Amino acid sequence: MAHIYLDNAATTPMAKQVIAAMTEQMTNDYGNPSSTHWFGRTAHTVMDQSRQTLAASIGARMGEIQLTSGATEANNTAILQTAHTRAALGRHIITTAIEHPSVGQPMAQLEREGFRVTYLPVDETGQISLGDLDAALDDETILVSVMMGNNEVGSHLPIAAIGARLATHQAWFHTDATQAYGLLDIDVAALGVDLLSVSAHKINGPKGVGFLYRRDGLNFPPFIRGGEQEMKRRAGTENVVGIAGFAAAVKLITPQTKADRQAKYLGFKHQIIDNLRAAGITFDVNGAVQADALNHVFNLWFPGVSTYALQTNLDLAGFAVSGGSACTAGSLEPSHVLTAMYGADSPRIAESIRISFGKDTTALDVTQFTTALIKIVTRLRAKSAR
């Protein structure tokens, strides 16, 4: 049985060029980049070259890129260290109700420490209101953290508009760009962000590496201590192999690549919608289908069909999809994103699946998936009607 992977929002397969770059690095350049001998200097050069590639991808300077183990570490660093460093200026933070757990859980920790956190609500398309943001901002606000694109429904949040509002405010602006990076053009200066988090494994790079963009002039102590790596900002011997792979993945993505993928993924969404409608399947889209969304993410509600049953049957048929964020896949809690969008009593929360496309997804993959989806939904509904 052939297996078709449609869970790219959780992670992506490494590109062949990335594997080649990492293999070469492991084979030839194995020194510790903090060592002063030739082996160490060679590894340090690889890091510098990679850092320049990463910085250029978001319009940043080399020194503004802090290499991390991924976006979870970057998010925790940005949020917790900003709050603890700037507490004397105020103890109010603004975020949204649909953030990834690596943002939501640090926020909950700060609330336990006495910080006041405002969670901006979202509408049924997964969008915040800028009016709500304006109303929440006050003289005590020290940080605003709003994701660039949602990982469950693909909504693209108004980062540039938020950055413009905060240009004259004391609050630092952080965005989790994990899902958007590699699909949307990102220029940190144009967006007005101070902190930005990214993970390599969402763009066909390796797991276990990412970066935190930290605008020049933003100072806070290391989140991880024990050494002077990363310009004394993050202790621990750097993952040179992973960093080289990350840079190799970034080099494969051009502005045209991003536009082409967005258009392809939007076409896949319409292909699925048209085929479901033609088959007479009752369903609805969670969120909105629009060109400027993160079109690799597609969340669908099938009334009367449980997420678990549908996902399990699709898996048995050879199709990998998910019920939401991979970071909460083992949790019994309902999707906080769908709950924020539709309310805690909505049946959508337990009857929806997330489909997410990748660079290697083909129209044939989508056709085969939709054919299986129609058969499985029809069968499950017939079974429940007995």
Side-chain angles (χ1 to χ4, degrees):
M1 178 178 66
H3 289 268
I4 293 177
Y5 187 71
L6 295 171
D7 196 20
N8 288 273
T11 195
T12 56
M14 280 201 292
K16 292 179 181 178
Q17 297 92 326
V18 172
I19 296 171
M22 294 177 69
T23 301
E24 180 180 356
Q25 179 64 35
M26 285 187 288
T27 303
N28 300 318
D29 301 321
Y30 45 81
N32 187 320
S34 295
S35 299
T36 57
H37 48 59
W38 179 85
F39 293 95
R41 294 195 307 273
T42 300
H44 200 278
T45 297
V46 171
M47 277 187 48
D48 282 346
Q49 293 171 342
S50 299
R51 196 188 307 272
Q52 181 58 55
T53 297
L54 301 176
S57 71
I58 58 169
R61 301 182 183 92
M62 272 185 65
E64 295 176 314
I65 301 299
Q66 178 178 329
L67 296 162
T68 68
S69 62
T72 290
E73 181 193 327
N75 285 338
N76 275 259
T77 301
I79 293 163
L80 295 174
Q81 297 307 87
T82 293
H84 295 151
T85 301
R86 311 194 78 216
L89 299 174
R91 298 177 70 84
H92 179 229
I93 299 169
I94 299 173
T95 187
T96 79
I98 61 169
E99 298 294 315
H100 188 272
S102 62
V103 169
Q105 291 187 22
M107 293 294 179
Q109 174 61 36
L110 290 173
E111 288 185 287
R112 290 190 289 271
E113 296 175 16
F115 286 84
R116 178 168 53 96
V117 180
T118 297
Y119 296 88
L120 300 176
V122 294
D123 61 20
E124 292 192 353
T125 68
Q127 278 293 342
I128 63 168
S129 161
L130 291 172
D132 288 341
L133 172 66
D134 293 338
L137 271 174
D138 60 33
D139 293 340
E140 294 286 307
T141 309
I142 56 171
L143 174 66
V144 175
S145 181
V146 176
M147 68 192 336
M148 190 171 293
N150 184 261
N151 54 303
E152 291 194 32
V153 297
S155 51
H156 177 195
L157 280 73
I159 301 304
I162 297 171
R165 277 168 162 74
L166 297 177
T168 57
H169 196 280
Q170 72 164 357
W172 290 355
F173 183 24
H174 166 253
T175 186
D176 176 0
T178 305
Q179 292 292 339
Y181 187 65
L183 281 178
L184 303 181
D185 290 328
I186 298 175
D187 184 296
V188 289
L191 293 174
V193 298
D194 300 300
L195 297 151
L196 180 145
S197 305
V198 164
S199 220
H201 73 105
K202 306 294 187 180
I203 61 161
N204 305 102
K207 299 173 182 66
V209 62
F211 70 74
L212 172 65
Y213 159 76
R214 187 163 127 181
R215 181 175 57 79
D216 279 346
L218 270 63
N219 297 310
F220 47 73
F223 182 62
I224 297 177
R225 301 169 184 268
E228 298 190 352
Q229 292 89 352
E230 286 304 292
M231 296 162 276
K232 301 183 180 181
R233 298 178 301 186
R234 193 257 188 191
T237 301
E238 296 91 345
N239 175 10
V240 183
V241 174
I243 293 164
F246 193 179
V250 169
K251 289 177 181 178
L252 297 175
I253 302 171
T254 67
Q256 188 60 53
T257 302
K258 298 173 190 176
D260 290 346
R261 289 182 185 175
Q262 278 281 74
K264 181 174 81 165
Y265 301 154
L266 182 60
F268 289 161
K269 287 183 176 181
H270 286 297
Q271 181 182 344
I272 292 173
I273 289 171
D274 291 345
N275 288 338
L276 290 174
R277 286 175 176 166
I281 299 295
T282 301
F283 74 99
D284 197 12
V285 176
N286 294 322
V289 178
Q290 51 195 40
D292 66 345
L294 300 188
N295 284 315
H296 69 304
V297 177
F298 196 29
N299 202 301
L300 293 175
W301 173 41
F302 294 93
V305 180
S306 81
T307 299
Y308 176 77
L310 183 51
Q311 185 180 347
T312 301
N313 277 268
L314 283 167
D315 183 30
L316 292 172
F319 299 93
V321 300
S322 73
S325 171
C327 294
T328 56
S331 172
L332 297 177
E333 295 296 316
S335 164
H336 71 285
V337 175
L338 296 183
T339 299
M341 291 169 62
Y342 299 107
D345 296 328
S346 173
R348 294 176 186 251
I349 296 168
E351 298 175 347
S352 298
I353 60 168
R354 181 185 70 175
I355 306 152
S356 47
F357 313 113
K359 73 178 186 66
D360 297 323
T361 308
T362 67
L364 179 59
D365 292 336
V366 175
T367 296
Q368 292 176 337
F369 166 73
T370 310
T371 300
L373 178 63
I374 290 168
K375 291 179 180 177
I376 291 168
V377 169
T378 300
R379 184 175 71 246
L380 291 174
R381 282 182 174 153
K383 183 177 180 180
S384 64
R386 292 174 189 167

